[in-house]
Amino acid sequence: MTISRGFFGHHDPDAVDLPPGQHLTHGFPVLTAGPTQLVSTEEWSFTITPESGEPKRWSWNEMMALPSEEINVDIHCVTRWTKLGTQWRGVALDTFFEDIETDDDYTMVHSYGGYTTNLPLEDLVGGKAWIAYEYEGEPLDVEHGGPARLLVPHLYFWKSAKWVKGITMQRFDEPGFWEGFGYHNYGDPWREERHAGD
Ligand SMILES: Nc1nc2c(c(=O)[nH]1)N[C@H]1C(S)=C(S)[C@@H](COP(=O)(O)O)O[C@H]1N2
Ligand SMILES: [Mo]
């Protein structure tokens, strides 16, 4: 990025590296298919279910006892907005997966309310994905998936399931909600993988 006049007030759109076909937004649009889910931290839990073997479940307090990280990332929505430098706090999926033994290569992420999205396991581990519960220093707003959402910033934002409830491990890949309606199975914004066939 080059330092230009006005740099300290706003990002110069010519000076930042955006994925193809994206433009900057300074707001934080809300995109939800269906109703906002109201889940209290008392009822919230997160479960990883291997295809064979024992599911592992974390309550809210158990998640809070895990080491958390501050996460500073750019996010890219398939509807073409990109938001730079968002700041989150959450627990890396690596921390949850330390307790999971699985030979399965694929995952299905499930949300309260029934939303689903599919990801290869390797996109959830290696410091690339988190269960996020704070945004810009505040508890995550319910419209944005609070009390906790998946955050997978290297893929289009539909993969970042709001009101996340659990992950099931799968031997074979299957489409989630939007993937079943023609969105790309993987969704890399830098390759502009918006729709199936892109
Ligand atoms: N549970 C759930 N998660 C979801 C969605 C949804 O409809 N339900 N929409 C997805 C889509 S298409 C996008 S672009 C982002 C939007 O997140 P935001 O509303 O925080 O901007 O959430 C993703 N996660
Ligand atoms: Mo989206």
Side-chain angles (χ1 to χ4, degrees):
M1 182 188 287
T2 50
I3 304 293
S4 59
R5 206 155 66 86
F7 172 77
F8 295 101
H10 63 278
H11 291 281
D12 178 351
D14 298 326
V16 297
D17 200 14
L18 291 179
Q22 295 293 109
H23 59 74
L24 286 180
T25 184
H26 298 283
F28 194 173
V30 171
L31 286 126
T32 305
T36 297
Q37 299 298 311
L38 300 175
V39 187
S40 69
T41 53
E42 288 76 37
E43 66 185 297
W44 185 90
S45 70
F46 178 65
T47 305
I48 300 180
T49 309
E51 202 166 87
S52 57
E54 286 295 299
K56 181 101 199 342
R57 177 182 172 275
W58 291 264
S59 68
W60 182 263
N61 289 337
E62 286 167 339
M63 177 172 75
M64 288 298 139
L66 298 174
S68 68
E69 296 171 17
E70 187 181 306
I71 308 141
N72 285 285
V73 289
D74 304 336
I75 54 179
H76 313 287
C77 178
V78 72
T79 63
R80 298 184 182 272
W81 56 263
T82 284
K83 189 168 174 57
L84 299 178
T86 63
Q87 190 199 303
W88 309 76
R89 177 164 290 280
V91 177
L93 263 293
D94 300 276
T95 303
F96 297 96
F97 274 102
E98 274 171 20
D99 289 346
I100 303 295
E101 240 177 80
T102 182
D103 291 327
D104 302 324
D105 291 332
Y106 299 99
T107 75
M108 188 68 78
V109 181
H110 299 265
S111 293
Y112 290 92
Y115 185 82
T116 57
T117 188
N118 58 313
L119 296 106
L121 177 58
E122 63 176 23
D123 287 87
L124 291 181
V125 294
K128 296 196 284 284
W130 296 266
I131 303 297
Y133 54 82
E134 277 180 25
Y135 178 74
E136 306 289 344
E138 300 287 339
L140 181 59
D141 278 348
V142 64
E143 292 81 8
H144 289 297
R149 76 181 298 165
L150 183 66
L151 178 64
V152 196
H154 71 287
L155 300 176
Y156 281 124
F157 212 37
W158 86 77
K159 297 283 183 182
S160 293
K162 306 197 279 191
W163 313 294
V164 66
K165 182 178 198 251
I167 296 176
T168 51
M169 305 301 308
Q170 303 198 161
R171 175 136 180 245
F172 299 105
D173 198 14
E174 277 176 55
F177 177 78
W178 280 121
E179 296 84 2
F181 283 112
Y183 279 29
H184 195 278
N185 192 56
Y186 184 64
D188 180 348
W190 297 96
R191 294 170 176 259
E192 216 173 351
E193 293 172 345
R194 297 176 192 277
H195 305 107
D198 284 349

